[in-house]
Amino acid sequence: MSAAAHYNHNAATARLAAENETLPQRRRQHERSAERWEEMARAAEETERRAAANEADKRARAAE
């Protein structure tokens, strides 16, 4: 499981907890947690994308 997938899973878990929460303040806490997990997932996806692009560039330079 990639870091991004792990973070997205945690975000989904936090969103589910927010939906099931009856106390408004705890619901908002879960929603904020989900938002932070989603931000980390986006950052991890971008990092993974850049790493893949860098690796492809490295292979292309080695093939020259």
Side-chain angles (χ1 to χ4, degrees), residues 17-63:
E19 289 175 14
N20 293 329
E21 184 58 62
T22 58
L23 299 173
Q25 187 168 346
R26 290 283 295 159
R27 183 179 307 116
R28 286 191 299 275
Q29 182 181 12
H30 288 301
E31 289 168 348
R32 285 191 306 269
S33 177
E35 290 168 4
R36 286 190 298 271
W37 282 118
E38 290 164 349
E39 288 172 14
M40 287 189 290
R42 282 190 296 275
E45 288 166 353
E46 179 62 19
T47 299
E48 291 167 4
R49 185 196 63 74
R50 282 192 315 248
N54 289 341
E55 185 62 31
D57 288 345
K58 183 179 175 181
R59 279 192 232 126
R61 283 191 306 272

Side-chain angles (χ1 to χ4, degrees), residues 8-23:
N8 280 321
H9 172 75
N10 287 348
T13 301
R15 291 263 179 227
L16 181 61
E19 289 175 14
N20 293 329
E21 184 58 62
T22 58
L23 299 173

